[in-house]
């Protein structure tokens, strides 16, 4: 009881401390945009400084959720760019800093159209502006200082120590702009591997995903989903938005670290669950149990077993002999077991003690799935979906990337978006996977290298035309001759 009282009093105390408008202004970089409705004085739920009354505008009319947030985007390759692209989709102004003449290395990786930025780059850098700055050039450092003063968040995923070697230490940044949030992706957190450079698959291996992916009699496998890179970028975006929220109360920034190993482990947490369950006996829902194969000391690879308590497997569908994706995922969910028995023509299993209950089925899962497969092989994966959905049986077709690219419903929801690019023409990208009723997402093409350098220097940072010309001739924003000779 006493604890509850303290908890209820605490937000009010916080609210009293921060309710003054001046304090709200101090906690944000743009008082005009964050200004609360002067009519409202009561703190919301006692914890939030001054929320305006609920808007009466129609849903979706309130623009972009992160409008006004400025990101100093020092990211490259995939993990960091995933994060900043998501923030850009939400409306943040992402100013991507790239090395003059070189840019993000992915611009030239896996090129499919000669002379155009690769899809690797374009699909991870939409909704951003590009400025080229040599961060080691004295004038470049001066520009960066202005950007640090101007922005809310610096996001980076350089190799450990690289930001410090540029002179952009936390102490320097925090002194220059105490409100700035500095968000980093690294391969590992503090510990024996903290200095290591890390790419996607290394993270999948170090985070416990690879050892638990694949078939029991095969080697560890990495997944096709970029859980190390894009997964960690997603975690970082969550950290940034949370830190922006906290800054509303504290007025100061903080450092955020997302280690790729940690991000992968977070996504693979059910396997750490199973590791602990192993101490108490075999993992009965793993098909290996039904097959009589003993468990070792660590969680084994479970093939296509379902990760939850409802057994599932990938089954062949009509056309599997020629189409590598003619498969369905089929879950024998307990509440619809009767419907499954009817659909596959085994109504007697409903009352047979060997099949009627989930524990009875566990030792014979292989036989059960083989029997269901005899039925799924007579239907296309979409027919299986249609028939099973009518009976609430959870199944899912194995969709190829071709099918996804052509799926009109994904286009309609803005999950797959076609964008036009000046040098490569039209390309598909993945739009905002997070749909919000009152925040619109506009997906814009990725910027050309340095496309917005002049615009950012003059319109955002306030350099005069003369100063811009001087910066240009200083070599801080253009490729050095040496670099150009090397590139040629
Ligand atoms: N001006 C001048 N120099 C610049 C610059 C700019 N605008 N932008 C980058 N550089 C410099 C850096 O300062 C660094 O120089 P030093 O090593 O001399 O200090 C150099 O470019 C290379 O940076 P890097 O070490 O980060 O890049 P890399 O290609 O050697 O390594 C990667 C790439 C991804 C392995 C490494 O950045 C890393 O481990 N990052 C953290 C984990 C991560 O995000 N991995 C996911 C990558 S996506 O698969």
């Amino acid at each position: 009881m006493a604890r509850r009282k303290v908890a209820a009093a605490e937000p009010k105390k916080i609210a009293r401390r921060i309710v003054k408008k001046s304090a709200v202004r101090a906690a944000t970089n743009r008082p005009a945009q964050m200004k609360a409705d002067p009519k409202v004085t009561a703190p919301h739920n006692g914890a939030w400084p001054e929320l305006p009354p609920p808007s009466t505008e129609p849903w979706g009319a309130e623009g972009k959720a992160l409008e006004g947030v400025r990101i100093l985007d020092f990211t490259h390759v995939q993990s960091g760019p995933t994060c900043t692209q998501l923030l850009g989709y939400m409306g943040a102004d992402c100013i991507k800093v790239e090395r003059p003449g070189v840019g993000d290395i992915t611009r030239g990786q896996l090129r499919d159209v000669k002379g155009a930025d690769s899809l690797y780059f374009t699909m991870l850098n939409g909704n951003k502006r590009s400025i080229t700055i040599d961060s080691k050039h004295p004038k470049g450092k001066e520009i960066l200082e202005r950007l640090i003063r101007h922005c809310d968040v610096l996001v980076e995923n350089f190799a450990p120590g690289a930001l410090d070697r540029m002179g952009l230490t936390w102490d320097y940044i925090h002194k220059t702009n105490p409100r700035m949030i500095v968000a980093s992706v690294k391969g590992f957190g503090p510990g024996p591997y903290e200095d290591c450079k890390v790419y996607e698959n290394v993270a999948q291996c170090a985070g416990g995903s690879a050892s638990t992916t694949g078939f029991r009699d095969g080697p560890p496998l990495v997944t096709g989903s970029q859980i190390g890179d894009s997964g960690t970028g997603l975690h970082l975006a969550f950290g940034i938005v949370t830190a922006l929220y906290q800054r509303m109360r504290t007025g100061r920034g903080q450092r955020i670290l997302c280690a790729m190993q940690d991000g992968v482990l977070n996504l693979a947490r059910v396997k750490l669950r199973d590791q602990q369950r192993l101490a108490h006996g075999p993992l009965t829902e793993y098909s290996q149990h039904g097959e009589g194969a003993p468990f070792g000391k660590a969680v084994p690879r479970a093939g296509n077993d379902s990760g939850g308590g409802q057994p599932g497997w990938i089954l062949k569908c009509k056309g599997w002999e020629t189409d590598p994706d003619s498969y369905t995922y089929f879950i024998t969910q307990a509440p619809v077991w009767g419907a499954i028995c009817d659909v596959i023509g085994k109504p007697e299993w409903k009352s047979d003690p060997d099949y009627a209950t989930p524990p009875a089925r566990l030792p014979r899962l292989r036989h059960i799935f083989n029997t269901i497969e005899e039925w799924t092989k007579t239907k296309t994966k979409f027919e299986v979906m249609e028939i099973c959905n009518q009976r609430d049986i959870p199944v899912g077709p194995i969709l190829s990337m071709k099918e996804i690219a052509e799926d009109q419903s994904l286009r309609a929801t803005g999950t797959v978006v076609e964008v036009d690019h000046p040098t490569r023409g039209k390309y598909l990208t993945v739009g905002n996977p997070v749909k919000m009723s009152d925040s619109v997402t506009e997906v814009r093409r990725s910027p050309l290298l340095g496309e917005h350098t002049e615009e950012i220097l003059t319109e955002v940072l306030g350099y005069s035309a003369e100063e811009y010309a001087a910066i240009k001739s200083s070599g801080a924003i253009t490729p050095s001759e040496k670099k150009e000779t090397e590139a040629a």
Side-chain angles (χ1 to χ4, degrees):
M1 197 63 192
R3 269 187 78 192
R4 284 180 85 194
K5 254 188 183 163
V6 173
E10 205 49 36
K12 277 194 197 133
K13 235 163 75 185
I14 296 169
R16 266 203 302 277
R17 248 187 277 139
I18 55 179
V19 76
K20 280 189 186 156
K21 214 176 272 180
S22 58
V24 177
R25 285 205 194 101
T28 67
N29 274 358
R30 268 161 301 294
Q33 286 176 24
M34 306 303 293
K35 205 165 75 179
D37 187 322
K39 291 194 291 293
V40 178
T41 49
H44 172 75
N45 290 342
W48 191 249
E50 286 181 64
L51 281 184
S55 171
T56 52
E57 294 285 316
W59 294 108
E62 294 298 350
K64 298 168 185 162
L66 293 183
E67 191 135 23
V69 174
R70 293 152 171 176
I71 309 289
L72 174 47
D73 181 354
F74 240 132
T75 67
H76 66 157
V77 203
Q78 185 180 162
S79 61
T82 301
C83 166
T84 50
Q85 180 169 264
L86 282 168
L87 299 173
Y89 282 170
M90 292 301 186
D93 181 12
C94 294
I95 299 176
K96 180 162 172 123
V97 177
E98 296 182 83
R99 207 184 329 198
V102 183
D104 187 324
I105 194 168
T106 60
R107 283 187 185 268
Q109 278 180 342
L110 312 176
R111 263 199 178 132
D112 56 329
V113 177
K114 206 168 169 234
D117 288 331
S118 71
L119 285 165
Y120 195 178
F121 178 83
T122 55
M123 290 180 70
L124 285 160
N125 291 283
N127 292 34
K128 301 181 189 179
R129 301 198 269 180
S130 167
I131 177 172
T132 49
I133 305 173
D134 181 346
S135 62
K136 291 170 182 162
H137 189 286
K139 199 74 192 166
K141 285 177 190 286
E142 183 203 301
I143 300 167
L144 279 171
E145 185 177 318
R146 275 205 199 189
L147 276 170
I148 288 168
R149 288 187 198 286
H150 170 83
C151 290
D152 301 282
V153 189
L154 185 156
V155 192
E156 63 93 21
N157 67 309
F158 289 122
L163 200 65
D164 287 358
R165 289 195 289 278
M166 287 179 188
L168 300 179
T169 61
W170 163 252
D171 287 346
Y172 165 78
I173 295 169
H174 190 59
K175 209 166 140 205
T176 307
N177 179 359
R179 295 192 183 106
M180 176 159 265
I181 292 156
V182 178
S184 304
V185 170
K186 295 290 167 258
F188 293 94
Y193 307 121
E194 65 187 313
D195 292 331
C196 299
K197 285 185 178 179
V198 168
Y199 282 104
E200 170 69 47
N201 289 347
V202 176
Q204 287 198 25
C205 295
S209 175
S211 69
T212 52
T213 303
F215 289 89
R216 205 167 72 238
D217 50 2
L221 273 190
V222 293
T223 78
S225 305
Q226 306 288 285
I227 58 175
D229 281 340
S230 287
T232 310
L234 191 51
H235 283 91
L236 194 68
F238 166 69
I240 290 169
V241 174
T242 308
L244 283 167
Y245 186 92
Q246 188 176 6
R247 195 182 70 167
M248 296 292 288
R249 290 203 303 271
T250 64
R252 64 171 187 245
Q254 60 183 300
R255 274 174 290 179
I256 304 170
L257 170 67
C258 282
M260 295 168 75
Q261 182 185 37
D262 301 7
V264 170
L265 176 59
N266 188 35
L267 298 176
R269 68 171 52 223
V270 297
K271 299 298 177 180
L272 186 57
R273 173 200 68 191
D274 292 350
Q275 181 61 43
Q276 296 170 84
R277 289 174 59 222
L278 253 187
H280 303 282
L283 307 171
T284 52
E285 80 283 15
Y286 281 48
S287 43
Q288 124 168 36
H289 175 63
E291 289 159 25
F295 285 83
K297 291 204 166 99
V299 172
R301 294 183 265 292
N304 287 318
D305 280 337
S306 138
Q310 306 287 354
W313 198 259
I314 289 185
L315 306 177
K316 290 169 182 158
C317 292
K318 194 171 172 180
W320 65 273
E321 300 91 338
T322 51
D323 176 359
D325 298 309
S326 223
Y327 287 82
T328 186
Y329 200 89
F330 199 107
I331 298 178
T332 54
Q333 195 206 11
V336 288
W337 176 245
I340 294 170
C341 296
D342 288 338
V343 159
I344 64 169
K346 285 278 178 192
E348 66 276 18
W349 277 3
K350 287 190 275 186
S351 52
D352 184 333
D354 282 349
Y355 296 91
T357 64
R361 291 196 288 274
L362 282 179
R364 30 189 81 79
L365 284 178
R366 177 57 68 94
H367 171 65
I368 290 171
F369 282 120
N370 284 346
T371 309
I372 299 173
E373 192 171 58
E374 288 310 309
W375 175 75
T376 57
K377 272 166 41 182
T378 67
K379 308 273 177 264
T380 68
K381 58 189 176 185
F382 297 109
E383 286 167 349
V384 171
M385 177 88 165
E386 202 182 323
I387 295 167
C388 289
N389 269 354
Q390 282 167 12
R391 293 161 175 81
D392 278 342
I393 303 168
V395 297
I398 307 305
L399 292 182
S400 69
M401 275 298 161
K402 182 172 184 300
E403 286 164 329
I404 287 172
E406 291 163 0
D407 187 319
Q408 289 311 306
S409 65
L410 291 175
R411 301 283 181 107
T413 57
T415 297
V416 175
V417 184
E418 191 175 78
V419 193
D420 209 357
H421 188 273
T423 53
R424 68 169 303 116
K426 290 191 176 9
Y427 67 94
L428 289 184
T429 192
V430 182
N432 192 349
V434 184
K435 319 291 190 220
M436 292 168 52
S437 64
D438 214 10
S439 175
V440 289
T441 295
E442 170 205 2
V443 176
R444 299 194 307 275
R445 71 166 171 87
S446 63
L448 300 173
L449 179 60
E451 184 175 341
H452 306 98
T453 303
E454 183 175 355
E455 174 184 305
I456 291 164
L457 289 176
T458 56
E459 292 173 23
V460 177
L461 299 183
Y463 286 104
S464 66
E466 294 73 38
E467 285 171 321
Y468 172 67
I471 291 170
K472 211 169 162 192
S473 56
S474 74
I477 57 170
T478 46
S480 70
E481 277 171 28
K482 188 168 157 267
K483 275 184 230 148
E484 273 181 327
T485 321
E486 278 167 7

